[in-house]
Amino acid sequence: MKYTDEELVSGIFKGSPEIIKTIYDDLFPVINSFVMSNSGSSQDAEDVFQEAQIILYRKIKSGSLVLNCTFKTFLFAVCKKLWLLRLKKKARIPMDYFEQELPDLDNETVESIEKNERYLLYKKHFNRLPESCKKLLLLFFEGNKMKDIAIKMGFASEGYARKRKHHCQKNLLNSIANDPLYNELAGSEIARKISEESIP
């Protein structure tokens, strides 16, 4: 069955298994071929395809998705840019190639892609923290007051809870800053924004 772009967008938003399978069957082979032809693997293609769908879902949910081309062309462009960003970070393609082949996407979509990259980098290093730091920071990100955090963590005082939070945050940001990908992302201010955002 052939679906219209509107039906595909609606299907992604509603999580329709039939629509999602149709998109996968129609588009993934193209994405897989592109990624594998450009220094990637089939697993890389799967990861990129899933990330692109998450980005697309967020744009649909926020009401910011505007299609100036077919749905499939748009999704392919997002996948392509995601993979080219990965290649750029791994220094597997020269800058002139990267610039020439970059899909023409609106600024909001580009920001969505970059925000996803920030999240992945942040999450990787957050998960490497000691369990006590992860628990403390999650409580803080959820909006708990330091006095309540001290009680839940079993700390002697609110002041000690603040000291521990500062220590955990400092270790997290240092860990991110020492990741080679941090400097690769700095060109579009992603590195700066990582330091500003709290993404549990």
Side-chain angles (χ1 to χ4, degrees), residues 41-61:
S41 66
S42 187
Q43 183 58 56
D44 290 327
E46 289 274 6
D47 293 343
V48 164
F49 192 70
Q50 290 299 320
E51 288 175 37
Q53 289 186 81
I54 291 170
I55 290 169
L56 189 59
Y57 173 80
R58 288 172 178 163
K59 287 184 68 64
I60 295 170
K61 185 177 180 181

mmCIF file with all atom_site columns, all heavy atoms in Angstrom, residues 41-61:
data_model
loop_
_atom_site.group_PDB
_atom_site.id
_atom_site.type_symbol
_atom_site.label_atom_id
_atom_site.label_alt_id
_atom_site.label_comp_id
_atom_site.label_asym_id
_atom_site.label_entity_id
_atom_site.label_seq_id
_atom_site.pdbx_PDB_ins_code
_atom_site.Cartn_x
_atom_site.Cartn_y
_atom_site.Cartn_z
_atom_site.occupancy
_atom_site.B_iso_or_equiv
_atom_site.pdbx_formal_charge
_atom_site.auth_seq_id
_atom_site.auth_comp_id
_atom_site.auth_asym_id
_atom_site.auth_atom_id
_atom_site.pdbx_PDB_model_num
ATOM 1   N N   . SER A 1 41 ? 29.148 0.665  8.747  1.00 0.00 ? 41 SER A N   1
ATOM 2   C CA  . SER A 1 41 ? 28.658 -0.713 8.780  1.00 0.00 ? 41 SER A CA  1
ATOM 3   C C   . SER A 1 41 ? 27.133 -0.712 8.775  1.00 0.00 ? 41 SER A C   1
ATOM 4   O O   . SER A 1 41 ? 26.500 0.340  8.928  1.00 0.00 ? 41 SER A O   1
ATOM 5   C CB  . SER A 1 41 ? 29.149 -1.412 10.049 1.00 0.00 ? 41 SER A CB  1
ATOM 6   O OG  . SER A 1 41 ? 28.574 -0.811 11.207 1.00 0.00 ? 41 SER A OG  1
ATOM 7   N N   . SER A 1 42 ? 26.555 -1.886 8.665  1.00 0.00 ? 42 SER A N   1
ATOM 8   C CA  . SER A 1 42 ? 25.102 -1.993 8.697  1.00 0.00 ? 42 SER A CA  1
ATOM 9   C C   . SER A 1 42 ? 24.567 -1.568 10.065 1.00 0.00 ? 42 SER A C   1
ATOM 10  O O   . SER A 1 42 ? 23.491 -0.968 10.163 1.00 0.00 ? 42 SER A O   1
ATOM 11  C CB  . SER A 1 42 ? 24.669 -3.433 8.383  1.00 0.00 ? 42 SER A CB  1
ATOM 12  O OG  . SER A 1 42 ? 23.268 -3.514 8.252  1.00 0.00 ? 42 SER A OG  1
ATOM 13  N N   . GLN A 1 43 ? 25.336 -1.864 11.119 1.00 0.00 ? 43 GLN A N   1
ATOM 14  C CA  . GLN A 1 43 ? 24.919 -1.439 12.467 1.00 0.00 ? 43 GLN A CA  1
ATOM 15  C C   . GLN A 1 43 ? 24.943 0.078  12.583 1.00 0.00 ? 43 GLN A C   1
ATOM 16  O O   . GLN A 1 43 ? 24.067 0.681  13.206 1.00 0.00 ? 43 GLN A O   1
ATOM 17  C CB  . GLN A 1 43 ? 25.836 -2.054 13.525 1.00 0.00 ? 43 GLN A CB  1
ATOM 18  C CG  . GLN A 1 43 ? 25.423 -1.733 14.960 1.00 0.00 ? 43 GLN A CG  1
ATOM 19  C CD  . GLN A 1 43 ? 24.015 -2.189 15.282 1.00 0.00 ? 43 GLN A CD  1
ATOM 20  O OE1 . GLN A 1 43 ? 23.684 -3.354 15.138 1.00 0.00 ? 43 GLN A OE1 1
ATOM 21  N NE2 . GLN A 1 43 ? 23.161 -1.257 15.718 1.00 0.00 ? 43 GLN A NE2 1
ATOM 22  N N   . ASP A 1 44 ? 25.946 0.705  11.974 1.00 0.00 ? 44 ASP A N   1
ATOM 23  C CA  . ASP A 1 44 ? 25.991 2.173  11.947 1.00 0.00 ? 44 ASP A CA  1
ATOM 24  C C   . ASP A 1 44 ? 24.741 2.728  11.269 1.00 0.00 ? 44 ASP A C   1
ATOM 25  O O   . ASP A 1 44 ? 24.156 3.717  11.723 1.00 0.00 ? 44 ASP A O   1
ATOM 26  C CB  . ASP A 1 44 ? 27.227 2.659  11.174 1.00 0.00 ? 44 ASP A CB  1
ATOM 27  C CG  . ASP A 1 44 ? 28.528 2.383  11.909 1.00 0.00 ? 44 ASP A CG  1
ATOM 28  O OD1 . ASP A 1 44 ? 28.536 2.426  13.156 1.00 0.00 ? 44 ASP A OD1 1
ATOM 29  O OD2 . ASP A 1 44 ? 29.539 2.129  11.225 1.00 0.00 ? 44 ASP A OD2 1
ATOM 30  N N   . ALA A 1 45 ? 24.350 2.087  10.173 1.00 0.00 ? 45 ALA A N   1
ATOM 31  C CA  . ALA A 1 45 ? 23.173 2.531  9.428  1.00 0.00 ? 45 ALA A CA  1
ATOM 32  C C   . ALA A 1 45 ? 21.914 2.397  10.287 1.00 0.00 ? 45 ALA A C   1
ATOM 33  O O   . ALA A 1 45 ? 21.045 3.278  10.284 1.00 0.00 ? 45 ALA A O   1
ATOM 34  C CB  . ALA A 1 45 ? 23.026 1.723  8.142  1.00 0.00 ? 45 ALA A CB  1
ATOM 35  N N   . GLU A 1 46 ? 21.819 1.291  11.039 1.00 0.00 ? 46 GLU A N   1
ATOM 36  C CA  . GLU A 1 46 ? 20.671 1.089  11.931 1.00 0.00 ? 46 GLU A CA  1
ATOM 37  C C   . GLU A 1 46 ? 20.614 2.199  12.976 1.00 0.00 ? 46 GLU A C   1
ATOM 38  O O   . GLU A 1 46 ? 19.548 2.756  13.246 1.00 0.00 ? 46 GLU A O   1
ATOM 39  C CB  . GLU A 1 46 ? 20.790 -0.268 12.640 1.00 0.00 ? 46 GLU A CB  1
ATOM 40  C CG  . GLU A 1 46 ? 20.568 -1.472 11.740 1.00 0.00 ? 46 GLU A CG  1
ATOM 41  C CD  . GLU A 1 46 ? 19.105 -1.848 11.609 1.00 0.00 ? 46 GLU A CD  1
ATOM 42  O OE1 . GLU A 1 46 ? 18.245 -1.106 12.133 1.00 0.00 ? 46 GLU A OE1 1
ATOM 43  O OE2 . GLU A 1 46 ? 18.834 -2.871 10.966 1.00 0.00 ? 46 GLU A OE2 1
ATOM 44  N N   . ASP A 1 47 ? 21.772 2.507  13.562 1.00 0.00 ? 47 ASP A N   1
ATOM 45  C CA  . ASP A 1 47 ? 21.829 3.547  14.601 1.00 0.00 ? 47 ASP A CA  1
ATOM 46  C C   . ASP A 1 47 ? 21.406 4.904  14.048 1.00 0.00 ? 47 ASP A C   1
ATOM 47  O O   . ASP A 1 47 ? 20.617 5.631  14.665 1.00 0.00 ? 47 ASP A O   1
ATOM 48  C CB  . ASP A 1 47 ? 23.252 3.643  15.168 1.00 0.00 ? 47 ASP A CB  1
ATOM 49  C CG  . ASP A 1 47 ? 23.654 2.396  15.939 1.00 0.00 ? 47 ASP A CG  1
ATOM 50  O OD1 . ASP A 1 47 ? 22.764 1.608  16.309 1.00 0.00 ? 47 ASP A OD1 1
ATOM 51  O OD2 . ASP A 1 47 ? 24.863 2.197  16.150 1.00 0.00 ? 47 ASP A OD2 1
ATOM 52  N N   . VAL A 1 48 ? 21.931 5.258  12.882 1.00 0.00 ? 48 VAL A N   1
ATOM 53  C CA  . VAL A 1 48 ? 21.613 6.532  12.252 1.00 0.00 ? 48 VAL A CA  1
ATOM 54  C C   . VAL A 1 48 ? 20.127 6.604  11.906 1.00 0.00 ? 48 VAL A C   1
ATOM 55  O O   . VAL A 1 48 ? 19.471 7.631  12.116 1.00 0.00 ? 48 VAL A O   1
ATOM 56  C CB  . VAL A 1 48 ? 22.479 6.749  10.994 1.00 0.00 ? 48 VAL A CB  1
ATOM 57  C CG1 . VAL A 1 48 ? 21.902 7.848  10.108 1.00 0.00 ? 48 VAL A CG1 1
ATOM 58  C CG2 . VAL A 1 48 ? 23.910 7.088  11.375 1.00 0.00 ? 48 VAL A CG2 1
ATOM 59  N N   . PHE A 1 49 ? 19.599 5.518  11.384 1.00 0.00 ? 49 PHE A N   1
ATOM 60  C CA  . PHE A 1 49 ? 18.191 5.471  10.994 1.00 0.00 ? 49 PHE A CA  1
ATOM 61  C C   . PHE A 1 49 ? 17.283 5.682  12.212 1.00 0.00 ? 49 PHE A C   1
ATOM 62  O O   . PHE A 1 49 ? 16.305 6.432  12.153 1.00 0.00 ? 49 PHE A O   1
ATOM 63  C CB  . PHE A 1 49 ? 17.885 4.131  10.326 1.00 0.00 ? 49 PHE A CB  1
ATOM 64  C CG  . PHE A 1 49 ? 16.558 4.082  9.632  1.00 0.00 ? 49 PHE A CG  1
ATOM 65  C CD1 . PHE A 1 49 ? 16.330 4.809  8.475  1.00 0.00 ? 49 PHE A CD1 1
ATOM 66  C CD2 . PHE A 1 49 ? 15.528 3.285  10.124 1.00 0.00 ? 49 PHE A CD2 1
ATOM 67  C CE1 . PHE A 1 49 ? 15.105 4.755  7.824  1.00 0.00 ? 49 PHE A CE1 1
ATOM 68  C CE2 . PHE A 1 49 ? 14.305 3.232  9.477  1.00 0.00 ? 49 PHE A CE2 1
ATOM 69  C CZ  . PHE A 1 49 ? 14.088 3.956  8.323  1.00 0.00 ? 49 PHE A CZ  1
ATOM 70  N N   . GLN A 1 50 ? 17.627 5.025  13.336 1.00 0.00 ? 50 GLN A N   1
ATOM 71  C CA  . GLN A 1 50 ? 16.836 5.180  14.555 1.00 0.00 ? 50 GLN A CA  1
ATOM 72  C C   . GLN A 1 50 ? 16.919 6.608  15.094 1.00 0.00 ? 50 GLN A C   1
ATOM 73  O O   . GLN A 1 50 ? 15.910 7.187  15.508 1.00 0.00 ? 50 GLN A O   1
ATOM 74  C CB  . GLN A 1 50 ? 17.325 4.187  15.620 1.00 0.00 ? 50 GLN A CB  1
ATOM 75  C CG  . GLN A 1 50 ? 17.014 2.730  15.311 1.00 0.00 ? 50 GLN A CG  1
ATOM 76  C CD  . GLN A 1 50 ? 15.526 2.461  15.197 1.00 0.00 ? 50 GLN A CD  1
ATOM 77  O OE1 . GLN A 1 50 ? 14.718 2.988  15.972 1.00 0.00 ? 50 GLN A OE1 1
ATOM 78  N NE2 . GLN A 1 50 ? 15.148 1.643  14.225 1.00 0.00 ? 50 GLN A NE2 1
ATOM 79  N N   . GLU A 1 51 ? 18.120 7.183  15.088 1.00 0.00 ? 51 GLU A N   1
ATOM 80  C CA  . GLU A 1 51 ? 18.294 8.549  15.579 1.00 0.00 ? 51 GLU A CA  1
ATOM 81  C C   . GLU A 1 51 ? 17.519 9.547  14.726 1.00 0.00 ? 51 GLU A C   1
ATOM 82  O O   . GLU A 1 51 ? 16.918 10.490 15.244 1.00 0.00 ? 51 GLU A O   1
ATOM 83  C CB  . GLU A 1 51 ? 19.775 8.918  15.597 1.00 0.00 ? 51 GLU A CB  1
ATOM 84  C CG  . GLU A 1 51 ? 20.567 8.210  16.687 1.00 0.00 ? 51 GLU A CG  1
ATOM 85  C CD  . GLU A 1 51 ? 22.043 8.510  16.608 1.00 0.00 ? 51 GLU A CD  1
ATOM 86  O OE1 . GLU A 1 51 ? 22.387 9.654  16.278 1.00 0.00 ? 51 GLU A OE1 1
ATOM 87  O OE2 . GLU A 1 51 ? 22.840 7.588  16.870 1.00 0.00 ? 51 GLU A OE2 1
ATOM 88  N N   . ALA A 1 52 ? 17.536 9.327  13.415 1.00 0.00 ? 52 ALA A N   1
ATOM 89  C CA  . ALA A 1 52 ? 16.806 10.223 12.513 1.00 0.00 ? 52 ALA A CA  1
ATOM 90  C C   . ALA A 1 52 ? 15.311 10.182 12.800 1.00 0.00 ? 52 ALA A C   1
ATOM 91  O O   . ALA A 1 52 ? 14.633 11.216 12.772 1.00 0.00 ? 52 ALA A O   1
ATOM 92  C CB  . ALA A 1 52 ? 17.079 9.840  11.065 1.00 0.00 ? 52 ALA A CB  1
ATOM 93  N N   . GLN A 1 53 ? 14.787 8.998  13.100 1.00 0.00 ? 53 GLN A N   1
ATOM 94  C CA  . GLN A 1 53 ? 13.362 8.875  13.397 1.00 0.00 ? 53 GLN A CA  1
ATOM 95  C C   . GLN A 1 53 ? 13.012 9.568  14.716 1.00 0.00 ? 53 GLN A C   1
ATOM 96  O O   . GLN A 1 53 ? 11.931 10.151 14.846 1.00 0.00 ? 53 GLN A O   1
ATOM 97  C CB  . GLN A 1 53 ? 12.967 7.397  13.452 1.00 0.00 ? 53 GLN A CB  1
ATOM 98  C CG  . GLN A 1 53 ? 12.974 6.738  12.082 1.00 0.00 ? 53 GLN A CG  1
ATOM 99  C CD  . GLN A 1 53 ? 12.446 5.317  12.140 1.00 0.00 ? 53 GLN A CD  1
ATOM 100 O OE1 . GLN A 1 53 ? 11.241 5.080  12.162 1.00 0.00 ? 53 GLN A OE1 1
ATOM 101 N NE2 . GLN A 1 53 ? 13.356 4.362  12.175 1.00 0.00 ? 53 GLN A NE2 1
ATOM 102 N N   . ILE A 1 54 ? 13.927 9.510  15.684 1.00 0.00 ? 54 ILE A N   1
ATOM 103 C CA  . ILE A 1 54 ? 13.694 10.199 16.955 1.00 0.00 ? 54 ILE A CA  1
ATOM 104 C C   . ILE A 1 54 ? 13.651 11.708 16.731 1.00 0.00 ? 54 ILE A C   1
ATOM 105 O O   . ILE A 1 54 ? 12.779 12.412 17.257 1.00 0.00 ? 54 ILE A O   1
ATOM 106 C CB  . ILE A 1 54 ? 14.803 9.844  17.971 1.00 0.00 ? 54 ILE A CB  1
ATOM 107 C CG1 . ILE A 1 54 ? 14.669 8.377  18.390 1.00 0.00 ? 54 ILE A CG1 1
ATOM 108 C CG2 . ILE A 1 54 ? 14.728 10.747 19.201 1.00 0.00 ? 54 ILE A CG2 1
ATOM 109 C CD1 . ILE A 1 54 ? 15.829 7.853  19.200 1.00 0.00 ? 54 ILE A CD1 1
ATOM 110 N N   . ILE A 1 55 ? 14.597 12.206 15.940 1.00 0.00 ? 55 ILE A N   1
ATOM 111 C CA  . ILE A 1 55 ? 14.629 13.634 15.621 1.00 0.00 ? 55 ILE A CA  1
ATOM 112 C C   . ILE A 1 55 ? 13.345 14.040 14.907 1.00 0.00 ? 55 ILE A C   1
ATOM 113 O O   . ILE A 1 55 ? 12.732 15.079 15.213 1.00 0.00 ? 55 ILE A O   1
ATOM 114 C CB  . ILE A 1 55 ? 15.860 13.954 14.749 1.00 0.00 ? 55 ILE A CB  1
ATOM 115 C CG1 . ILE A 1 55 ? 17.137 13.833 15.582 1.00 0.00 ? 55 ILE A CG1 1
ATOM 116 C CG2 . ILE A 1 55 ? 15.754 15.368 14.136 1.00 0.00 ? 55 ILE A CG2 1
ATOM 117 C CD1 . ILE A 1 55 ? 18.413 13.861 14.762 1.00 0.00 ? 55 ILE A CD1 1
ATOM 118 N N   . LEU A 1 56 ? 12.930 13.218 13.956 1.00 0.00 ? 56 LEU A N   1
ATOM 119 C CA  . LEU A 1 56 ? 11.715 13.498 13.196 1.00 0.00 ? 56 LEU A CA  1
ATOM 120 C C   . LEU A 1 56 ? 10.493 13.503 14.113 1.00 0.00 ? 56 LEU A C   1
ATOM 121 O O   . LEU A 1 56 ? 9.631  14.386 14.021 1.00 0.00 ? 56 LEU A O   1
ATOM 122 C CB  . LEU A 1 56 ? 11.552 12.455 12.090 1.00 0.00 ? 56 LEU A CB  1
ATOM 123 C CG  . LEU A 1 56 ? 10.457 12.695 11.059 1.00 0.00 ? 56 LEU A CG  1
ATOM 124 C CD1 . LEU A 1 56 ? 10.673 14.021 10.343 1.00 0.00 ? 56 LEU A CD1 1
ATOM 125 C CD2 . LEU A 1 56 ? 10.421 11.560 10.047 1.00 0.00 ? 56 LEU A CD2 1
ATOM 126 N N   . TYR A 1 57 ? 10.424 12.529 15.014 1.00 0.00 ? 57 TYR A N   1
ATOM 127 C CA  . TYR A 1 57 ? 9.293  12.443 15.947 1.00 0.00 ? 57 TYR A CA  1
ATOM 128 C C   . TYR A 1 57 ? 9.210  13.713 16.807 1.00 0.00 ? 57 TYR A C   1
ATOM 129 O O   . TYR A 1 57 ? 8.118  14.263 17.027 1.00 0.00 ? 57 TYR A O   1
ATOM 130 C CB  . TYR A 1 57 ? 9.431  11.214 16.838 1.00 0.00 ? 57 TYR A CB  1
ATOM 131 C CG  . TYR A 1 57 ? 8.385  11.157 17.936 1.00 0.00 ? 57 TYR A CG  1
ATOM 132 C CD1 . TYR A 1 57 ? 7.089  10.711 17.661 1.00 0.00 ? 57 TYR A CD1 1
ATOM 133 C CD2 . TYR A 1 57 ? 8.678  11.580 19.232 1.00 0.00 ? 57 TYR A CD2 1
ATOM 134 C CE1 . TYR A 1 57 ? 6.118  10.683 18.657 1.00 0.00 ? 57 TYR A CE1 1
ATOM 135 C CE2 . TYR A 1 57 ? 7.724  11.555 20.227 1.00 0.00 ? 57 TYR A CE2 1
ATOM 136 C CZ  . TYR A 1 57 ? 6.444  11.100 19.931 1.00 0.00 ? 57 TYR A CZ  1
ATOM 137 O OH  . TYR A 1 57 ? 5.489  11.082 20.924 1.00 0.00 ? 57 TYR A OH  1
ATOM 138 N N   . ARG A 1 58 ? 10.367 14.165 17.287 1.00 0.00 ? 58 ARG A N   1
ATOM 139 C CA  . ARG A 1 58 ? 10.379 15.366 18.127 1.00 0.00 ? 58 ARG A CA  1
ATOM 140 C C   . ARG A 1 58 ? 9.892  16.591 17.355 1.00 0.00 ? 58 ARG A C   1
ATOM 141 O O   . ARG A 1 58 ? 9.183  17.448 17.904 1.00 0.00 ? 58 ARG A O   1
ATOM 142 C CB  . ARG A 1 58 ? 11.787 15.603 18.668 1.00 0.00 ? 58 ARG A CB  1
ATOM 143 C CG  . ARG A 1 58 ? 12.208 14.605 19.737 1.00 0.00 ? 58 ARG A CG  1
ATOM 144 C CD  . ARG A 1 58 ? 13.660 14.772 20.094 1.00 0.00 ? 58 ARG A CD  1
ATOM 145 N NE  . ARG A 1 58 ? 14.071 13.854 21.160 1.00 0.00 ? 58 ARG A NE  1
ATOM 146 C CZ  . ARG A 1 58 ? 15.319 13.557 21.442 1.00 0.00 ? 58 ARG A CZ  1
ATOM 147 N NH1 . ARG A 1 58 ? 16.298 14.119 20.761 1.00 0.00 ? 58 ARG A NH1 1
ATOM 148 N NH2 . ARG A 1 58 ? 15.612 12.707 22.412 1.00 0.00 ? 58 ARG A NH2 1
ATOM 149 N N   . LYS A 1 59 ? 10.288 16.680 16.083 1.00 0.00 ? 59 LYS A N   1
ATOM 150 C CA  . LYS A 1 59 ? 9.840  17.810 15.264 1.00 0.00 ? 59 LYS A CA  1
ATOM 151 C C   . LYS A 1 59 ? 8.334  17.739 15.014 1.00 0.00 ? 59 LYS A C   1
ATOM 152 O O   . LYS A 1 59 ? 7.649  18.748 15.042 1.00 0.00 ? 59 LYS A O   1
ATOM 153 C CB  . LYS A 1 59 ? 10.594 17.835 13.935 1.00 0.00 ? 59 LYS A CB  1
ATOM 154 C CG  . LYS A 1 59 ? 12.045 18.284 14.056 1.00 0.00 ? 59 LYS A CG  1
ATOM 155 C CD  . LYS A 1 59 ? 12.721 18.374 12.700 1.00 0.00 ? 59 LYS A CD  1
ATOM 156 C CE  . LYS A 1 59 ? 12.167 19.503 11.845 1.00 0.00 ? 59 LYS A CE  1
ATOM 157 N NZ  . LYS A 1 59 ? 12.409 20.839 12.415 1.00 0.00 ? 59 LYS A NZ  1
ATOM 158 N N   . ILE A 1 60 ? 7.827  16.538 14.786 1.00 0.00 ? 60 ILE A N   1
ATOM 159 C CA  . ILE A 1 60 ? 6.384  16.363 14.570 1.00 0.00 ? 60 ILE A CA  1
ATOM 160 C C   . ILE A 1 60 ? 5.633  16.738 15.838 1.00 0.00 ? 60 ILE A C   1
ATOM 161 O O   . ILE A 1 60 ? 4.632  17.466 15.814 1.00 0.00 ? 60 ILE A O   1
ATOM 162 C CB  . ILE A 1 60 ? 6.063  14.908 14.165 1.00 0.00 ? 60 ILE A CB  1
ATOM 163 C CG1 . ILE A 1 60 ? 6.692  14.581 12.805 1.00 0.00 ? 60 ILE A CG1 1
ATOM 164 C CG2 . ILE A 1 60 ? 4.548  14.692 14.105 1.00 0.00 ? 60 ILE A CG2 1
ATOM 165 C CD1 . ILE A 1 60 ? 6.633  13.110 12.443 1.00 0.00 ? 60 ILE A CD1 1
ATOM 166 N N   . LYS A 1 61 ? 6.121  16.243 16.983 1.00 0.00 ? 61 LYS A N   1
ATOM 167 C CA  . LYS A 1 61 ? 5.464  16.497 18.263 1.00 0.00 ? 61 LYS A CA  1
ATOM 168 C C   . LYS A 1 61 ? 5.427  17.978 18.593 1.00 0.00 ? 61 LYS A C   1
ATOM 169 O O   . LYS A 1 61 ? 4.440  18.487 19.146 1.00 0.00 ? 61 LYS A O   1
ATOM 170 C CB  . LYS A 1 61 ? 6.177  15.722 19.373 1.00 0.00 ? 61 LYS A CB  1
ATOM 171 C CG  . LYS A 1 61 ? 5.492  15.821 20.724 1.00 0.00 ? 61 LYS A CG  1
ATOM 172 C CD  . LYS A 1 61 ? 6.205  14.967 21.761 1.00 0.00 ? 61 LYS A CD  1
ATOM 173 C CE  . LYS A 1 61 ? 5.502  15.065 23.115 1.00 0.00 ? 61 LYS A CE  1
ATOM 174 N NZ  . LYS A 1 61 ? 6.195  14.244 24.148 1.00 0.00 ? 61 LYS A NZ  1
#
